Amino acid sequence: MNLLALVDCDNFYASCERVFRPDLKKIPIVVLSNNDGCVIARSKEAKSMGIGMGVPWFKIKRAYLAQGGRVFSSNFALYGDLSNRVMHVLSGMSQSMEIYSIDEAFLGLHHLQDPRDAYAFGIHCRSTVHQWVGVPVRIGIAPTKTLAKVASHIAKKRNGGTGVACLHTAGQIKRALRDIPAHEVWGVGRQLSSQLNELGVISAFDLSEVDISLIRKKFSVVLERTVRELRGEPCLEIQEKNAPKKQIIVSRSFKTRINNQEELKPLISNFAARAAEKLRNEKQKCSKVSVLIATSPFEKTSQYRGFASFQFSTPTNDTRSILLGATKALNDSFKGNYIYAKAGVLLSSFSCQEVEQQSLFQDMRDGLLLQPSAELMQCIDLLNQEQQQIYFASQHPESFARVQTKMMSPRYTTNWHELPTAS
DNA sequence: TCTGGGGTCCTAGGACCC
DNA sequence: TCTGGGGTCCTAGGACCC
C-alpha cells in the first residue's frame, strides 16, 4: 500500500510568533489581518478562550486583552521565511513532495517498505522540524490525500497525543470516519454539507458510503473524487512541480471608505503595479487585467460590486500597459453614489514570457501604443527589490507604504536591523 | 470608528463550426 | 406536419481551499 503524509503546521502564524519569543509559550496569541481588521490565526490558548476565526478585532479587543491575550499584526516576511525553512527540511525527508499552502505539505512515503514504519517516520519528521525550525507540526498518514487530512484532524484532536496519526487498516479508517462530521472533510464546504445533510449524510463515514452515481448526478466529479478518496482509492496525486500561476490578485480593504473615482485611481494603480511585479516574477505575461471594486457587505447602505476587464491585443508584463488597462477597467466598473470599502486588480490569461504572439493589428487605443521595455522593468524591479524606490506617476506611494505597526513583531530572519539578540 | 487576501477547479451556457 | 446532431472553445460564476 502506498501511503502519503500530510504535514500541517499547528496554528502556523501564531506559532511563528513564538519561535523567537519563547516567553509567549502557553500565552494566548492572535494574529490579525491587514489593517488589523480581523483575526486570522489563533494559538491553542486563544481558541480555548472562544476567539473565533475571522472575528473582527474591535469586537473582542477589550475582553481579550483584559484576559492577558497577546496580539500581533501579520508579519508575512517572517511567516514566509519560516515556511520556506519548514519546507526545506521536509524536502530532505521524502522523494516526492507537494507544497500545498504556506503551512502544509504532502509527502510521498513510497520509501517505506512496511506501513507499520509510517508512524515512526511521522514521529521522526515532527521532531526534526521542531528541532531545526522551531515550529510544531502535526502529521496525518493515510493512503489518500483526503484520508491524510482526516488523519491530521485526529492528530489534532488527540490532546496531549504525539501529533502523529496513521490510518492504514480498513478498521482504523472506518473508526476515524465515524468520528468526523461530513462538513469537516476536505472539499466539503458549507453549501455541500447542508445539501448532504438533507440526504441524511451526517458523518464522514456516511459520505464514504453514499452511492457514487448519485453523487455524480446530484453534485459533481469533485465530490465524487472526495468520496472515492474516503474509500481509500487515490484520485488526487502529489503534484511535485509547482504549476505556474493562472491568475494574480492584489486586493485590499481600505482603512477609510472611498466614494469617488479620483481617490480610487491611485490605489488601483498601486495594486496594478504590484500585480505586474508579481507577474514578472512568475516569468509570465498577461492578456487581461480586471478591476474589482465593492462596497462593504456589513454596511446597511446600498451594495454594489463592480467588475470590468481590459483585454490586451498582445500579452504584456509592462507595468505601464497594465496601469493603462487598469485605469480603463476602473472607468468601466465605477458607479457613483456608492461608498466603497474594497478594491483589487486581477491579472489573467497568462502566457509564457518568452513566447511572443504578436497581434495582427496594432493596438491603436489611446496611449497603449507604447514600446514595452523588458530592460526598464528589470531595472525597476531590481531597484525596488529591497525597498520601494521607484513609483509610477499614477501611484500613491504613502497609501501603499508598508506600515510598521506597533503590533507587528520584528522580521527576525529577513532584515539585518531586526535580528533577534541573545542576552 | 474598526469585518482579510489570495488562489484553484468545475460547470453551464453561449458562440461558433461542420 | 415537419425544424439535426454532433463537436470545440471560451467565459462567468459558484464552490472550495488556506
Side-chain angles (χ1 to χ4, degrees):
Chain A
M1 180 192 291
N2 263 335
L3 291 175
L4 54 85
L6 170 68
V7 183
D8 192 340
C9 301
D10 292 336
N11 318 316
F12 185 55
Y13 299 164
S15 299
C16 287
E17 295 296 346
R18 277 186 182 146
V19 169
F20 296 99
R21 291 287 306 276
D23 57 302
L24 296 178
K25 204 176 170 188
K26 309 255 181 206
I27 292 183
I29 291 177
V30 298
V31 177
L32 305 178
S33 65
N34 249 326
N35 296 336
D36 297 334
C38 59
V39 173
I40 56 169
R42 308 153 292 159
S43 70
K44 197 173 76 186
E45 297 75 16
K47 283 178 190 170
S48 56
M49 281 167 69
I51 306 293
M53 182 67 169
V55 298
W57 171 234
F58 72 89
K59 282 191 180 170
I60 56 157
K61 182 176 177 178
R62 189 185 271 254
Y64 174 73
L65 293 176
Q67 289 175 73
R70 302 296 297 268
V71 58
F72 291 92
S73 304
S74 37
N75 182 350
F76 285 106
L78 177 67
Y79 312 150
D81 185 62
L82 290 181
S83 169
N84 288 339
R85 292 173 189 223
V86 171
M87 299 307 170
H88 182 73
V89 173
L90 293 179
S91 69
M93 308 192 80
S94 164
Q95 275 143 27
S96 62
M97 159 166 158
E98 172 184 343
I99 298 176
Y100 180 69
S101 75
I102 193 165
D103 70 338
E104 278 174 67
F106 290 102
L107 301 181
L109 303 185
H110 322 281
H111 59 285
L112 297 181
Q113 304 297 319
D114 188 328
R116 285 168 297 184
D117 295 336
Y119 184 77
F121 170 84
I123 296 287
H124 169 65
C125 189
R126 183 169 188 263
S127 69
T128 308
V129 173
H130 195 255
Q131 187 184 347
W132 292 4
V133 187
V135 171
V137 299
R138 62 171 183 274
I139 299 179
I141 298 171
T144 69
K145 281 182 164 180
T146 307
L147 285 173
K149 280 267 185 185
V150 170
S152 151
H153 261 282
I154 289 171
K156 186 189 206 168
K157 274 192 194 161
R158 274 192 210 135
N159 253 338
T162 58
V164 177
C166 193
L167 304 174
H168 62 82
T169 69
Q172 286 169 336
I173 293 173
K174 197 167 171 178
R175 250 171 293 149
L177 295 185
R178 283 195 201 280
D179 281 347
I180 290 190
H183 68 84
E184 278 181 31
V185 171
W186 191 41
V188 180
R190 204 186 291 152
Q191 299 291 326
L192 285 176
S193 72
S194 79
Q195 289 176 56
L196 286 168
N197 284 355
E198 281 171 24
L199 292 176
V201 173
I202 311 297
S203 71
F205 179 73
D206 297 339
L207 183 57
S208 73
E209 296 274 279
V210 186
D211 177 29
I212 289 275
S213 59
L214 177 75
I215 290 288
R216 184 60 181 263
K217 210 168 73 193
K218 236 177 128 50
F219 300 94
S220 71
V221 63
V222 186
L223 192 62
E224 178 186 339
R225 287 200 277 252
T226 299
V227 172
R228 289 182 187 276
E229 285 242 321
L230 286 176
R231 297 178 181 183
E233 180 186 331
C235 300
L236 308 167
E237 308 225 309
I238 291 188
Q239 316 228 295
E240 299 196 49
K241 279 216 201 99
N242 38 354
K245 281 195 175 37
K246 293 174 179 168
Q247 61 177 42
I248 287 173
I249 300 178
V250 178
S251 72
R252 294 282 183 283
S253 298
F254 311 142
K255 270 215 165 75
T256 50
R257 308 276 197 253
I258 293 177
N259 66 0
N260 68 82
Q261 199 176 341
E262 279 318 296
E263 265 182 86
L264 228 36
K265 203 178 148 185
L267 293 175
I268 292 293
S269 293
N270 282 339
F271 301 155
R274 176 73 187 114
E277 195 181 300
K278 287 186 178 183
L279 181 64
R280 292 192 291 274
N281 195 34
E282 285 279 311
K283 308 227 178 303
Q284 300 214 72
K285 291 187 174 181
C286 72
S287 293
K288 190 156 91 172
V289 53
S290 312
V291 163
L292 42 117
I293 51 178
T295 52
S296 164
F298 304 100
E299 219 69 62
K300 289 202 181 70
T301 50
S302 52
Q303 301 284 313
Y304 171 65
R305 300 166 72 88
F307 184 86
S309 305
F310 182 87
Q311 196 93 28
F312 297 106
S313 54
T314 310
T316 183
N317 59 14
D318 191 300
T319 301
R320 297 166 299 169
S321 304
I322 290 171
L323 282 172
L324 284 164
T327 306
K328 289 195 184 299
L330 172 62
N331 250 324
D332 292 344
S333 58
F334 184 83
K335 267 198 205 169
N337 301 325
Y338 288 103
I339 301 169
Y340 294 97
K342 181 180 178 171
V345 167
L346 188 157
L347 305 181
S348 55
S349 301
F350 289 176
S351 52
C352 179
Q353 191 174 245
E354 278 72 38
V355 185
E356 187 100 343
Q357 173 71 55
Q358 295 288 351
S359 167
L360 192 54
F361 306 100
Q362 279 210 311
D363 204 330
M364 298 302 289
R365 287 166 295 185
D366 45 334
L368 287 173
L369 190 58
L370 52 82
Q371 206 51 44
S373 166
E375 293 78 21
L376 177 62
M377 292 303 125
Q378 216 170 24
C379 178
I380 291 173
D381 288 343
L382 199 65
L383 285 166
N384 284 345
Q385 206 170 33
E386 289 293 320
Q387 197 186 339
Q388 183 99 14
Q389 303 186 59
I390 303 271
Y391 295 89
F392 289 82
S394 60
Q395 286 183 260
H396 187 272
E398 288 100 74
S399 64
F400 210 42
R402 211 162 279 183
V403 275
Q404 178 90 29
T405 66
K406 276 196 201 120
M407 299 202 306
M408 197 187 315
S409 51
R411 292 164 290 180
Y412 299 106
T413 58
T414 54
N415 190 299
W416 288 113
H417 305 292
E418 299 176 17
L419 289 178
T421 48
S423 51

